[in-house]
Every structure is written in C-alpha cells, then in structure tokens.
Amino acid sequence: MRITAADTLVTSPGRNFVTLRITTDEGLTGLGDATLNGRELAVEAYLREHLAPLLPGRDAGAIEDTWQYLYRGAYWRRGPVTMAALAAVDTALWDIKAKAAGMPLYQLLGGASRRGALAYGHASGRDLPELLDSVRAHLADGYRAIRIQSGIPGLDSVYGVANSAAGGGERYDYEPARRAAGGAARPAEEVWDTRAYLRHMPSVFEAVRHEFGPELPLLHDGHHRMTPMQAARLGKDLEPYDLFWLEDATPGEDQSALRLIRSHTTTPLAIGEVFNSVHDYTTLLQERLIDYVRSAVTHTGGVTGMRRLLDLAGVHGVRSGMHGPTDISPVGMAAALHLDLAVHNFGIQEYMRHSPRTLEVFRTSYRFEQGLLHPGESPGLGVELDEEAAARFPYTPAYLPVNRLTDGTVHDW
Ligand code: CS2
Ligand code: MG
C-alpha cells in the first residue's frame, strides 16, 4: 500500500486544531494530531512544506522507517514543532495500518492490559465554594480522580481556573489560549505571586479532603512556576493530603532540580507535558526522580515516540500520565487511549473533555464510563474528521498567556 497524499487541515471549533490526513492508493486514510497550542501554524507549515512532499510513493506500512527517515533525515531534530509534525505523520500511519488489519489500534500494540484507562478531570474554582461545587460536578459526571486548581487570594486570574468557573463559556470551555482584551492577536498577561500560592494551597487541600474524604485521588498542577526549594516545600506541605501527583512542580528541563525536590518530599511527581523526546527524560527516569511521565502522543513523535518513552519509563518503574487537555485534539486523545489500554505501566489519563463544537468536527468512538476511558472497537484510531464541519470554524490566532511576577518580571506561565 503506497501513500498518495498528505494534507493538513486547520480548524477552530472553539480552539485551534491542526490535523494531518494521509491517503493511500488502496483508499484507506489515516489521521494525525499536530496541534501545538499557540504555535499551530508553525507545525502546519513544517508539515505542508517539509514533510508532506516527502511522503507520496512511500510504503504506508513502513512506519518505523518513515519515523527514522523524518527524524534523522531532518538533521535538525527534536523540538516541539518538529516532533508534533512527526507525531502527526506517525499517528496517521498507525491509523492506516490498524484499519488495514481491520482492528482497533490497541490490538496492534499488544492487546488490552486493562478494562479501561482511569481518567482524571479538572475541577477548579476562583474560591473554595466554587471549587467544591466543581469537584461535586466532576464526581457526578463519573470522574474517579480529580485535579484541583484554585484561585489565589489577591490574584485576578490563575492558571487552571476554568472560564466556566467564572461563569463564562460552555461547561467544558476551558481554554487558556486567548487574545488580550480588545481582540489584539497577542498574549494576555497574568500576574503571579508564588508566596501567596504556597501560603494558600495547603488550606485548599485541607478543605477538599475534609469534604470528600481520604480516598479520592487528587492531583495538582504547579505549572512550572516554583523554584526547586519552593516545590520541595509545597510537596512536603501537601503530604498530609496524599496527592496522586504534584505536576510540573518546577521547570522540567532543569532535570537535576528534581533531585532536591525528591530529597524533601514523598509526594509523587509528574513532569513532561512540554517535553517532546525520550531524551528529555533520561536523568529523570534513570534516577527515578519522577513517578509519572506527562508527555502526549501529539507532542512526542506519535505512537512510535510515545511507546519508546513508555517502555523506557517502565524499565525504571515510572508510569504513564499522558497529557490530555482540550488542546490535544480528539485524534491525539484517541491515540493516547489505545496506548493507555495496551501498555503495562499505565498510570492515569488526563481527560478534560472537548466541547460539543469540537465533537461536531471530530467523530470519535472512544467512551468514558464509570471513570474509565476506552478507545472503542472501531478499526484504527476510531476518529473521523468531518471536513464540512471543519470548514465552518476558520483558524483564529490565539496565544497562551504570558505570566509576570508582581514586580513585572516575566515568569513561567
Ligand atoms: C496543563 C495544560 O492540562 C495540563 O496539565 O498543563 O492544560 C496546559 O496548560 C495546556 O496544555 C497549554 O496549552
Ligand atoms: Mg500540566
């Protein structure tokens, strides 16, 4: 079976998505997610200008050879744009291969190792009453693990507190990428105060544990903002609340900083959603400095790249915790779920749920039942893209916010 075409599709049903569709001479097509929040057109151009022209005529089944050809052949390897583009090609080829075999992708990856993938949702609130209501809503929706993000007294807007918590947007309309006030296509700016955050968060978890008990798996995302010592302090302060994980406690590329954090706290640590290669993790994995890898199929070289990472993580007792916000498209989410079902060292799957508008464009067969996600039994990934619907939502530039400390210094968002 030969590749005959590779086309990029950009659509924006509430937020921007970049999708690659590969077509073969036997009429089979495959989809790959190439969405990089705030930098979508960079990936689309890399695909359209530099990868797509190389694909027609290639054996659609030669997935590993194509991966190596596009990875090593680029010379300039790794990086978020390159690896998201490569991910889209790889995922689309796995979609095709599984369709050709007449089976869901997870069967090609070794079959099911579990009934379903434990999902976690995002509860948030500007204040405690709103947060507790959000936890109740997620429990009512069937979630059995919940991420806790809270407003911070004295700060106007804080990462992870959903629009709907502020009364705007659709129920699942959490989208951090937006324009600044007045619609100018430039990042909004937010103000951050780590000391206020460190003072506030233990009381938040105290209240959540008091309300919902000791069993419910609770997660929290530090979102890259703390120094190693601040992260060590928060990890220690949260130990009484038995978190499932503390995520991105400090900027992950400073891998050796995790040695310091690890030496102070037993709170489990998760890192890696901004990584794009297994090589970003080597110290973290070899020294067991983290408990979960956070990468997404979409950002880590596809099914091939993610499987390689998860196998190395498994050798070191580290489990998966794949990134699954709304800026991973349903195609990327489906690919994650097939891996979640098959790999042995599964941990948990982030599942923010896409908006109804997004699901008008991407027809999915994965399901969320009793707190577990399952990719479904459709051949391939189990996702189809409705081009008519996609055309109704043209691309609009959007940027993730820029964060500043109270004195104006740019900080990690
Ligand atoms: C967050 C993401 O879900 C998470 O863990 O870190 O929502 C992140 O903020 C977005 O993916 C950025 O586009
Ligand atoms: Mg995160």
Side-chain angles (χ1 to χ4, degrees), residues 15 36-38 120 122 147 159-160 174-177 221 223-224 245 247-248 273 294 299 323-328 350 352 400 413:
R15 57 143 300 103
L36 189 65
N37 203 357
Y120 76 88
H122 285 197
R147 190 186 80 166
Y159 161 72
Y174 169 75
E175 176 44 68
D221 193 343
H223 223 258
H224 324 279
W245 80 33
E247 172 186 350
D248 283 332
E273 70 178 51
R294 281 288 286 141
H299 298 142
H323 194 210
T326 42
D327 48 289
I328 297 289
E350 180 175 9
M352 278 184 64
L400 286 170
W413 174 72

Side-chain angles (χ1 to χ4, degrees), residues 26 66 128 198 270 303 394 403:
E26 295 183 13
T66 298
L128 205 46
L198 293 173
V303 174
N403 214 6

Side-chain angles (χ1 to χ4, degrees), residues 142-162:
Y143 282 96
R144 289 174 14 200
I146 294 179
R147 190 186 80 166
I148 301 295
Q149 302 297 133
S150 169
I152 308 293
L155 298 181
D156 288 343
S157 60
V158 172
Y159 161 72
V161 180

Side-chain angles (χ1 to χ4, degrees), residues 189-192 402-411:
E189 299 214 347
E190 296 184 356
V191 177
W192 178 251
V402 169
N403 214 6
R404 291 183 184 273
L405 299 177
T406 49
D407 69 359
T409 307
V410 172
H411 195 63

Side-chain angles (χ1 to χ4, degrees), residues 47 61 91 122 320 409:
L47 274 167
T91 304
H122 285 197
S320 73
T409 307

